[in-house]
Amino acid sequence: MNLTAAWVRLCQAAKIDKDDYFADLIEAYTRNSLAYHNLAHIEDCLLKYQKFSHLAHDPLAVEFAIWFHDTVYDPKARDNEEQSAVVAKEFLRGHALADSVAELILATRHQESLGGLDAQLICDFDLSILGSDSPTYHIYAEAIREEYAWVAPDDYKIGRAKVLEDFLSRPRIYQHAEFRKKYERQARLNLEEELNSLSPA
């Protein structure tokens, strides 16, 4: 996927003359050399967006939210989504999309019940990796562990297990029926396998 061309097309569609901002996005996603929350993750979400964009109520808002949702990501912080939303609102200052994009980014905290269709979609794009094939999921899990390398092994197992258990306890991991059909079963298998690997033998 040509990310530069995708960004230019999006800006043109939204009538925003900030094509050169792409360099700032590249810097945002590479400055910390993160193993997972990087441009590859954004590209993966955009590829999923290409397949499911017809489901969105406001496709431009969803696409901008994908681009910006992890522009601020510090594994040690608890307000990454809030800070990423601030970056997006600053970029879109004065544009009709500013507030809606910020709200979509906040939805990727994956904490509250999601009422809006586009909020459901952005969350499903973000979590689609959970429903990938087993080898791809293992690479993802290892990348997350790498991002939290500063956490002691036993503490990481406890914290990661809580995250996995939280997702598994939900009636559904994916909000939209199309995503549930495609990813739900495999996501639960992947999460359960990782959770079992964290338990003592």
Side-chain angles (χ1 to χ4, degrees):
M1 182 179 192
N2 188 325
L3 290 177
T4 304
W7 173 253
V8 171
R9 285 195 299 271
L10 176 60
C11 288
Q12 290 175 343
K15 298 181 179 179
I16 296 174
D17 186 20
K18 292 186 179 181
D19 296 353
D20 57 350
Y21 190 82
F22 186 73
D24 295 312
L25 285 172
I26 294 294
E27 200 275 332
Y29 284 107
T30 57
R31 68 168 67 103
N32 294 326
S33 301
L34 295 171
Y36 177 71
H37 293 91
N38 51 36
L39 277 174
H41 170 53
I42 301 305
E43 182 176 5
D44 182 60
C45 288
L46 289 171
L47 288 170
K48 304 287 174 41
Y49 168 82
Q50 288 182 343
K51 295 179 180 179
F52 295 101
S53 62
H54 64 282
L55 300 175
H57 173 72
D58 190 341
L60 292 181
V62 173
E63 191 171 358
F64 271 119
I66 290 173
W67 277 103
F68 280 95
H69 79 280
D70 282 330
T71 47
V72 178
Y73 195 89
D74 178 356
K76 296 182 179 181
R78 295 179 178 273
D79 63 346
N80 291 311
E81 293 82 7
E82 289 83 356
Q83 293 303 315
S84 294
V86 169
V87 173
K89 286 195 74 170
E90 178 62 25
F91 172 80
L92 292 165
R93 179 186 295 180
H95 196 284
L97 289 172
D99 289 339
S100 57
V101 170
E103 290 175 3
L104 292 177
I105 292 171
L106 292 177
T108 63
R109 291 175 295 193
H110 304 293
Q111 295 175 345
E112 57 273 332
S113 176
L114 301 172
L117 172 61
D118 288 348
Q120 294 176 3
L121 286 175
I122 185 68
C123 287
D124 285 352
F125 290 135
D126 194 31
L127 296 178
S128 61
I129 186 66
L130 302 182
S132 58
D133 59 81
S134 184
T136 301
Y137 182 87
H138 282 303
I139 294 172
Y140 151 77
E142 290 172 356
I144 295 298
R145 178 64 182 111
E146 183 177 336
E147 290 189 354
Y148 288 85
W150 49 276
V151 179
D154 288 345
D155 292 337
Y156 179 80
K157 288 181 179 180
I158 293 171
R160 182 65 176 167
K162 288 180 179 178
V163 172
L164 301 176
E165 288 168 349
D166 175 67
F167 279 116
L168 287 168
S169 70
R170 300 180 184 189
R172 57 189 185 187
I173 295 172
Y174 297 101
Q175 304 296 314
H176 197 282
E178 291 291 328
F179 280 81
R180 290 198 299 277
K181 179 180 178 181
K182 186 174 181 63
Y183 297 113
E184 186 83 19
R185 181 176 180 275
Q186 185 62 42
R188 290 189 177 276
L189 291 173
N190 288 334
L191 294 172
E192 288 171 356
E193 182 180 359
E194 185 183 0
L195 181 60
N196 289 335
S197 74
L198 298 173
S199 301

